[in-house]
Each structure stands twice: as C-alpha cells, then as structure tokens.
Amino acid sequence: MKYQNDLILKAAWGEEVSRVPVWLMRQAGRILPEYREVRNSLSSFKELVETPELAAEVTIQPVDILNVDAAIIFSDILVIPDAMGLPYVMKKGIGPVFPKKIEEPSDIKNLRVANAQEDLHYVLEAIQITKKRLNGRVPIIGFAGAPWTIFSYMLEGSGSKTFSQARKFLYTESKLAHELLEKITESTIEYLKAQIDAGVEIVQVFDSWAGILPPDQYKEFGLKYLDAICNSITQVPITLFAKGAWYAYEELAQLSCNTIGVDWNTKPSLARELVGSGKTLQGNLDPCMLYSTDEDIIAATKNMLTSFGTHKYIANLGHGVYPDTNPEKVKLFIDTIKNYKF
Ligand code: CP3
C-alpha cells in the first residue's frame, strides 16, 4: 500500500526521514472526550473491544484529533488469555480481573493455543475496517503483550504491585512456567501474523512487567520467548517495549527486532550505548511531564529530541499516556516534535 505518511515505517527500518515521527502509547481511548462518548454508549470496555466498527472508530480518533503519525488498533493485551480460555473482565476503577486464574497444572493443560481467525476475529475485522477508512493516511500498529507479562496476569488474576504470585511460580514450578509461556508464545505468534495479514504494517510487543525480574530470570522466562516471536515476524518491523528492563538492553539488541522502546527511567544516551547503533529507539518522555506548563513541555520535548537524535528514532512517551491528561498538552508535545528542525 502507498502511504501519504510512512515516516514511522521508514524510521523503524532505519531509513532517512524528513522529520521525526511521533505517536503515543495508549493514544486510543483514555484521554479524548470523543472516546468517552463512544465508550459510555456501551456497557463495558470488552464490548467496545469486540465491536469492530466502534473499535475502528476510536482507533482513528487520535489520527484525526491529535495528528499522530500512526494508528494503534484499539484492543487490549488481555485478549490473548481470553482466546486461550481464560476470560478477563475490566472492572471500573480496578482494571482487569480474571474470575478464574491459573492455580494448578490442569489449568495450564486445559488452556488452548489461540486460534486467531476464530477466537480473535473481532480484532482482525477492526483492523480491516480501520485500514479501509484510513485509506493510506498513516500505517496501523498491531500489538500483543509479551509472554512474560501475559503470564503475570494469568497467574496473579489481576494487576498487582509486586506480581509475587507470578514470580513465585518461576521459582517453584519452572517447568510448568515454561509450558505456559510456550502456549502463550505460540498463540501470540499466530495472533501477530493474523494482524499482519489483516493489514497492520508494524507491530509492538508490550512487556510491561519486564522490570520486575532479576536479569537471569528475564533471560530464561522473558527474552527466550521474545526471541521466538522476533524470529517468526519477518514481514513487518517489530518493536519491543520492555518496561524497566534497561538491564537487558544489550540482550534485547541481539534479537531480530527493529525498534526498542525506552521508558522514562532510562537515559537516552545509556539506551543508545547499550543497544548500539543497529536499532531504532522509541520513547521516552515521562507521561507526567504532560501535566506541566506549556513552556516546560516544549523544553523537555526539545531536550528529548536532542538527546535521542533524529536518525533511527520514533518519538513517544516513556509509557502510556495517563487518562486525565489534557489533550491540548498532548497536541503541544506532538506539534513540538513535528516542528523540530534538523
Ligand atoms: O495503545 C492504545 O491506545 C491501544 C489500546 C490499548 C489498551 N490497552 C486499551 C485499554 C493497549 C495497547 C493496551 C495495552 C495494555 N493493556 C497493556 C500494555 C501497555 C501498558 O500500559 O503497560 C497492559 C498492561 C494492559 C492491561 C490493562 N488494560 C490494564 C492494567 C488496564 C486498566 C488500567 C488502565 O490502563 O486503564 C486496562 C484497561 C484498558 N485498556 C483501558 C483501555 C482504553 C481502559 C478501560 C476503559 O476505558 O474502560
């Protein structure tokens, strides 16, 4: 497909760009009144995720309203456990909850490898509709959770400050842990490939809980499966966002991914030093910075651009945008990047 704006793809492939591309993690939904209007017309988050017409509509909203350089499909990383036979519910004010979590070996045996075409057809339809409606304006980002992060939610049954249940399992049931991680990985590879077939042009894997493991365990239970995913996705560029895992950047840089997401705890210069010159970096303004004054936002954004440089770089926040962020501040962040001359 011919794009009117393919800056993000060029940057991910390491090609020269005329300006730095920008998008925001969690740009779809959350901050826009236009999103809340659609969301409030339905009874649940899940209903929105599973209604392709509406999921496509809220996917496109930030492209229209914020002028970002890519759309990210409106869904959630937890559709994978759902498709494997462990459904989630999204509880207001709490977040995701699994009425039934993984507790014993038979719970793992009973899970299936997700069949994307059947179990996740609603995401694939949302991609197809989005693709048609965008008509080449910007590329669509597909995504999935990293096996370790998905595993954490499946073991814990909800979000957690420590994920100590999931971490305990790595020590006490390492063989079973690998069995479950294998199943999640297989499901994820199939799912990402199906998203690519449906029309996404770039994919991102979110390892939101990478930062809570010791380096050796991340190697054994995290990186191993990210490696398998990277080796299976060859058609489009792939971004790995391993939040808090600066300690593993050197190993991440050895995987066959194109871009590495950098969180706000990591200095851009350290990220570049550890990753080397071979990959594109993405990030990393502190999402809380967007609560600041216009003047300070402009200065911090320019500082971020100077620190990363303009080559092999995709501008973003260091994690998802917070729900109560003023969209005007987000626009200021985006416009500052777009107007940056180099
Ligand atoms: O990036 C986007 O704009 C696309 C949509 C998207 C959602 N979730 C929609 C969502 C993406 C990429 C995700 C990823 C996701 N989901 C992650 C990885 C990224 C990260 O933040 O680390 C994780 C860990 C989840 C799990 C999840 N989903 C949690 C913990 C929560 C509750 C807290 C929160 O973030 O709001 C969700 C709910 C969720 N996912 C909402 C949205 C828009 C809010 C629910 C609502 O609107 O009712």
Side-chain angles (χ1 to χ4, degrees), residues 26-28 30 35 39 45 75-77 90 153 208 319:
R26 314 297 292 271
Q27 67 187 18
R30 297 191 126 191
Y35 163 76
R39 169 72 183 79
F45 169 77
S75 184
D76 200 87
I77 60 168
M90 206 55 87
Y153 282 102
S208 308
H319 197 196

Side-chain angles (χ1 to χ4, degrees), residues 204-241:
Q204 173 154 327
V205 178
F206 287 90
D207 210 350
S208 308
W209 297 106
I212 63 175
L213 290 183
D216 286 352
Q217 273 193 334
Y218 192 53
K219 199 168 188 171
E220 179 180 350
F221 298 102
L223 291 167
K224 175 176 179 207
Y225 298 100
L226 290 176
D227 185 37
I229 292 172
C230 289
N231 289 336
S232 304
I233 304 297
T234 49
Q235 310 90 315
V236 304
I238 178 163
T239 303
L240 299 179
F241 176 58

